[in-house]
Amino acid sequence: MYESFFIETYGCQMNVADSELISGMLIKEGLKPSDDIENADIIFVNTCAIREHAEDKVHSRLGFYNKLKKDKPEIIIGVLGCMAQNLKDSILQNKTYVDIVLGPDSYRKIIDLIQNRKKEKLRSIDTNLSRYEVYSDILPSRNKGINAWIPIMRGCDKFCTFCIVPFTRGRERSRSLDSILNEVIDAVDSGYKEITLLGQNVNSYKFENIEFHDLLESIAKIKDLKRIRYTSPHPQDMSEEVINVMNDYENICNYVHLPLQSGSNRILERMNRTYSRERFIDLYFSIKEKLKNVGVSTDIIVGFPGESDQDFQDTISLMQEVKFDSAFTFKYSSRPGTKAANYNDNIDEVEKQVRLQKVIDLQKIHSMYNNRKIIGNIESVLIEKESKKSELKWTGRTESNKWVAFDKKYSHVGDIVNVKINQTSGISLQGDIVTSQEMEIA
Ligand code: 5AD
Ligand code: SF4
């Protein structure tokens, strides 16, 4: 009776990888992925709880699923992931049309629950967190594309005071080296040109005596693997060994996402980030010095409880000192259950918005500044897709994670080509493919 499923994914890349894992399990049981939500027998939404805004989006989607279910009461609706973990009671109580609620460590139950549903029409829930679950033995059904997501660890033990992740995804645990290597080899054999190693705290990977830099090195030696990325590392665990391995292997992209959160020591301490402004700046410049042409991006939160004008200025001045290539910027969003949710010196929403805009505007200037600096360079670019602006152009990313558009000129998606950077219009770049003969002449 249940033949097809549709999974909608919100939130981080880890959720994308989890949805691929769930698809893998469902396909193995004979269900078919559908690309039409209105005709699917089972609808899953893989959710994110990191900010209130992320939850709001899912709530509004759930309203739409409810409408679908009114027309077709036999369909199954399942809420998966971090919001399921976080809001199970309110979902069960207020959203009676939701049949299945599964947290991030309970996906193995999915098949049983669908079978039970066939028999008994009961609502099912499992949000137990595990100290061991890493789903190593399950083959994901990957989305098409050039990049394969490879989770290497799950959970987080850092307990930043603003963050819900340690509560929704549980304790940190790493996958075995062998299971990761096998998955990477499988992805390369299936034609993926780039892999991105994933974890909430990717560089605190530890399996037996193997640390993140050992893992990176083993992966870098895999034949025909053209590009390796990883996200997100924590500044505290960004060791010299990691930077050295990045330097030693050409297929590890010169790009680091280094989440700052705040430039004020007082706020960093209150956030429990475990590094100081000075340590972050040192780390930033040592990465810049050791890795040629490296791109560095960051995450910044404005309006954390108690953030004074001076604290905010410290964030601005740090940004000015380092000049990130790009930044994901957020207004602080209180997450019930976290330590910071109990701080009672919240910043006014209007002020948060003003600060956010200042950070966005400054980052635009810095992105432009860094992009201008590489005009004239020849960059290696992995072609990802057709440009939205012109069907005559491709777009792809440099190793340093900058988007470049250029004329197609006998190349294909998945090729790595040399592109001479000619112009920038702010965040993205424009260039021209340089052939190998032209490279020799240059
Ligand atoms: N409010 C705003 N931003 C948050 N992040 C995590 N928790 C919150 C929160 N409560 C941001 C951090 C993190 C990124 C993934 O999301 O910047 O690095
Ligand atoms: Fe959240 Fe901090 Fe863990 Fe990142 S390191 S997932 S921000 S608790």
Side-chain angles (χ1 to χ4, degrees):
M1 173 172 140
Y2 296 113
E3 286 175 1
S4 60
F5 68 92
F6 184 98
I7 306 187
E8 198 157 65
T9 306
Y10 290 90
C12 58
Q13 287 107 341
M14 197 70 175
N15 271 10
V16 175
D18 278 357
S19 291
E20 293 181 342
L21 194 82
I22 294 159
S23 290
M25 289 190 237
L26 296 172
I27 290 170
K28 197 164 163 233
E29 285 304 307
L31 288 152
K32 291 198 177 56
S34 159
D35 47 18
D36 177 10
I37 192 168
E38 309 210 5
N39 282 317
D41 303 324
I42 307 170
I43 301 173
F44 285 123
V45 59
N46 195 357
T47 60
C48 172
I50 201 136
R51 284 170 292 274
E52 200 178 348
H53 182 60
E55 289 187 351
D56 290 346
K57 277 199 275 186
V58 171
H59 281 302
S60 82
R61 279 310 273 172
L62 284 172
F64 171 62
Y65 305 160
N66 187 19
K67 278 198 205 120
L68 293 179
K69 189 152 180 157
K70 280 191 180 135
D71 290 340
K72 283 203 298 175
E74 68 283 4
I75 62 172
I76 295 181
I77 294 181
V79 178
L80 313 175
C82 288
M83 243 173 109
Q85 192 72 35
N86 204 24
L87 299 177
K88 50 184 177 268
D89 296 333
S90 98
I91 292 172
L92 283 177
Q93 224 171 46
N94 304 323
K95 310 222 186 283
T96 46
Y97 51 91
V98 173
D99 306 291
I100 291 177
V101 177
L102 287 178
D105 287 345
S106 308
Y107 298 146
R108 280 181 201 273
K109 300 257 162 78
I110 219 156
I111 304 297
D112 274 355
L113 296 189
I114 293 172
Q115 312 256 332
N116 281 348
R117 174 87 194 146
K118 275 193 223 169
K119 282 187 244 138
E120 303 178 32
K121 299 267 169 207
L122 287 177
R123 301 176 82 199
S124 318
I125 171 165
D126 191 314
T127 53
N128 290 328
L129 288 172
S130 157
R131 284 189 167 265
Y132 310 103
E133 181 61 272
V134 283
Y135 300 111
S136 269
D137 54 318
I138 297 173
L139 261 188
S141 162
R142 295 186 198 289
N143 299 330
K144 290 202 173 61
I146 55 118
N147 177 71
W149 306 108
I150 314 278
I152 62 163
M153 50 90 67
R154 298 179 73 88
C156 179
D157 287 352
K158 288 283 189 283
F159 285 94
C160 301
T161 57
F162 52 80
C163 186
I164 195 73
V165 167
F167 304 95
T168 56
R169 285 191 167 266
R171 299 288 56 76
E172 228 170 79
R173 61 223 106 111
S174 296
R175 283 177 68 177
S176 71
L177 176 69
D178 283 352
S179 77
I180 297 169
L181 291 179
N182 286 339
E183 200 175 320
V184 176
I185 291 167
D186 180 72
V188 174
D189 289 348
S190 311
Y192 289 92
K193 298 287 186 277
E194 178 181 272
I195 59 128
T196 304
L197 306 177
L198 289 180
Q200 253 68 43
N201 200 343
V202 77
N203 53 343
S204 75
Y205 174 87
K206 193 157 173 41
F207 184 81
E208 291 166 352
N209 287 327
I210 301 155
E211 295 190 17
F212 183 61
H213 64 271
D214 304 314
L215 171 71
L216 256 188
E217 182 156 24
S218 303
I219 292 176
K221 288 179 180 158
I222 291 175
K223 204 169 144 272
D224 294 334
L225 175 53
K226 296 282 188 285
R227 279 191 166 191
I228 303 162
R229 297 183 186 276
Y230 60 90
T231 197
S232 277
H234 190 293
Q236 182 197 319
D237 301 318
M238 200 64 202
S239 66
E240 227 177 294
E241 286 103 323
V242 172
I243 301 169
N244 290 340
V245 171
M246 289 180 75
N247 199 22
D248 289 345
Y249 291 86
E250 266 205 8
N251 57 355
I252 308 179
C253 290
N254 276 346
Y255 167 65
V256 182
H257 180 67
L258 203 61
L260 165 69
Q261 316 299 1
S262 168
S264 150
N265 278 336
R266 201 178 69 83
I267 297 294
L268 284 172
E269 195 163 342
R270 255 189 141 200
M271 288 176 161
N272 189 31
R273 285 296 288 178
T274 67
Y275 52 83
S276 65
R277 168 192 176 90
E278 293 73 23
R279 158 91 184 111
F280 185 96
I281 294 172
D282 282 353
L283 180 60
Y284 177 93
F285 284 113
S286 81
I287 290 171
K288 279 282 198 195
E289 194 187 296
K290 288 193 187 128
L291 301 177
K292 197 171 56 88
N293 202 12
V294 66
V296 184
S297 60
T298 198
D299 290 342
I300 292 174
I301 298 177
V302 299
F304 184 76
E307 183 186 70
S308 66
D309 283 345
Q310 183 55 53
D311 293 321
F312 177 64
Q313 278 316 314
D314 288 348
T315 298
I316 295 285
S317 72
L318 194 153
M319 288 175 75
Q320 282 164 332
E321 193 164 343
V322 304
K323 297 190 180 61
F324 295 109
D325 290 285
S326 62
F328 300 91
T329 51
F330 310 104
K331 283 190 280 185
Y332 169 72
S333 168
S334 176
R335 305 286 61 214
T338 60
K339 194 164 177 194
N342 297 327
Y343 297 164
N344 49 20
D345 41 4
N346 274 311
I347 306 297
D348 173 78
E349 270 308 306
V350 178
E351 179 59 26
K352 276 191 207 168
Q353 186 58 42
V354 170
R355 290 181 188 180
L356 182 69
Q357 198 55 51
K358 283 188 181 157
V359 166
I360 292 172
D361 291 345
L362 184 60
Q363 184 52 50
K364 269 194 197 144
I365 295 171
H366 293 161
S367 298
M368 176 77 110
Y369 172 85
N370 287 324
N371 282 347
R372 282 209 181 117
K373 282 211 295 205
I374 66 164
I375 289 179
N377 283 11
I378 294 175
E379 298 272 337
S380 139
V381 176
L382 172 54
I383 302 177
E384 292 197 23
K385 55 190 174 193
E386 195 167 87
S387 158
K388 280 193 192 125
K389 292 194 185 130
S390 160
E391 59 183 31
L392 302 175
K393 286 181 188 284
W394 294 131
T395 58
R397 279 178 295 160
T398 64
E399 269 199 53
S400 57
N401 211 31
K402 294 174 193 286
W403 283 96
V404 194
F406 47 92
D407 285 345
K408 288 184 175 173
K409 216 176 171 180
Y410 311 115
S411 53
H412 307 93
V413 167
D415 290 350
I416 293 184
V417 289
N418 289 310
V419 176
K420 181 160 189 201
I421 309 298
N422 296 329
Q423 279 187 57
T424 171
S425 54
I427 309 170
S428 62
L429 298 159
Q430 289 86 47
D432 274 316
I433 292 189
V434 184
T435 60
S436 35
Q437 285 125 327
E438 287 166 331
M439 286 281 282
E440 273 169 33
I441 296 164

